[in-house]
Amino acid sequence: MQFSGNGPVSDEVVALPGFGAAVALGAAATVLLATRIGFPVSSTHAIIGTMIGVAVSQQSEIAWTKLGQQLLLPLLFSPFVAFLATVLLYPCFRWLRTSFGVSQATCLCAGREVLEVVPAGDAGLVTLRMESLSASLDTVVTCRERYVGRAIGIDAGNVLDGLHFLSAGLVGFARGLNDTPKIAALLLATSVVGNLPGLVLVGVAIALGGLLGSRRVAESLSHRITEMNAGQGFTGNLVTALLVTLATRWGWPVSTTHVSCGTLFGIGAVNRHAHWSFIRTIIAAWCITAPIGGLLGYAAGSCL
């Protein structure tokens, strides 16, 4: 409702036959450019920027107060809320883990097979054993952090792997709840398709985009913001899914990307492995997303 009518852009502009196409083209070009570079930016910011650009191209008034209250405030505050929630929640999870006697270890693996488990923190022993196993087995040996121990009679590592996978699915579900309606609104505003076909079409397009072009952004989120283990990744996923789902319940358009990055910034602050130079680059990309979208929206709107 907030993205298709009764929002910051006048109903006359929204009713223009090419409005949805102009906004979609401007936002898509903005996000595709950022994705090609590997920057995790907000499609929501891009859509808002292009909406404003199209409205300016049509010399239409913009309800700036409504824009700020309905759209910008949730977008600006959500990364800070995600950061604080992660900083507070992760130490609680860590205390709970140690209370159950679950510790960290480094697994030496060949593919998916675990060859040996080495106590965490002994970098020299890890390197020595990796070289020895690689030479004796004539294969590539990699290492990854893993939780060892049993909680309530269940293997802690397997439980966390399952919860980590489930939490990633919850993030995807939360993104579908909050992002799909924003993009479908561009179709609904022009009455090209009905509600259900529009949602299905956009959902399928989002899934295909994730399969075909998400690797660079995924690498940035996984490795370039902070070093993290599986437990920290689970915490980030859980906070992201909860915050985005709650925001959707109240009709607040937030950016799943910004919330997710906010949790990763929090993890980096807690474990002191944050890559602050890249974090500053991400924040700079956030700041220019809407202006670039606005320029592209203005160019597309001028063709209406």
Side-chain angles (χ1 to χ4, degrees):
M1 291 175 60
Q2 294 189 37
F3 276 72
S4 60
N6 297 318
V9 179
S10 68
D11 292 342
E12 291 77 13
V13 173
V14 174
L16 291 174
F19 172 78
V23 174
L25 286 172
T30 303
V31 175
L32 286 172
L33 175 62
T35 303
R36 183 68 182 83
I37 300 173
F39 288 156
V41 300
S42 167
S43 57
T44 308
H45 278 202
I47 292 174
I48 292 173
T50 54
M51 286 174 61
I52 295 173
V54 173
V56 172
S57 73
Q58 300 302 307
Q59 299 180 346
S60 172
E61 292 186 359
I62 299 170
W64 293 106
T65 301
K66 187 175 290 187
L67 175 68
Q69 292 176 349
Q70 292 184 357
L71 304 180
L72 295 184
L73 283 179
L75 287 170
L76 291 175
F77 279 104
S78 56
F80 294 101
V81 175
F83 177 88
L84 291 175
T86 304
V87 169
L88 294 173
L89 189 61
Y90 178 68
C92 297
F93 283 166
R94 183 170 54 192
W95 174 84
L96 189 63
R97 169 179 64 80
T98 55
S99 297
F100 278 100
V102 177
S103 59
Q104 288 182 281
T106 300
C107 293
L108 304 180
C109 307
R112 297 179 62 87
E113 182 183 359
V114 177
L115 302 175
E116 188 174 325
V117 177
V118 180
D122 194 338
L125 179 59
V126 170
T127 302
L128 180 64
R129 293 304 300 154
M130 284 182 65
E131 294 174 351
S132 176
L133 290 170
S134 297
S136 62
L137 299 176
D138 192 24
T139 187
V140 176
V141 177
T142 59
C143 65
R144 61 188 180 94
E145 297 297 320
R146 185 173 177 82
Y147 290 103
V148 294
R150 303 183 72 83
I152 321 178
I154 305 174
D155 182 84
N158 292 335
V159 170
L160 183 59
D161 287 343
L163 290 175
H164 196 178
F165 185 82
L166 177 61
S167 68
L170 290 175
V171 173
F173 179 75
R175 188 196 176 204
L177 285 177
N178 202 280
D179 284 3
T180 304
K182 302 168 192 169
I183 304 170
L186 302 178
L187 296 175
L188 302 181
T190 56
S191 301
V192 174
V193 295
N195 290 7
L196 182 58
L199 290 171
V200 171
L201 179 62
V202 172
V204 170
I206 287 177
L208 289 175
L211 288 171
L212 297 175
S214 63
R215 182 172 297 275
R216 287 177 183 267
V217 175
E219 287 293 329
S220 296
L221 289 171
S222 299
H223 303 297
R224 300 183 68 184
I225 294 178
T226 182
E227 304 296 330
M228 58 180 170
N229 57 38
Q232 293 162 352
F234 164 74
T235 304
N237 282 342
L238 185 63
V239 171
T240 300
L242 289 175
L243 290 181
V244 174
T245 301
L246 288 174
T248 306
R249 173 64 183 81
W250 296 105
W252 296 334
V254 298
S255 167
T256 310
T257 303
H258 285 198
V259 172
S260 179
C261 286
T263 65
L264 295 177
F265 298 166
I267 289 170
V270 171
N271 65 18
R272 300 182 180 179
H273 291 299
H275 303 157
W276 293 110
S277 60
F278 187 68
I279 290 174
R280 287 191 290 269
T281 302
I282 290 177
I283 294 175
W286 288 359
C287 293
I288 64 174
T289 299
I292 290 177
L295 291 174
L296 294 175
Y298 182 87
S302 299
C303 300
L304 294 179

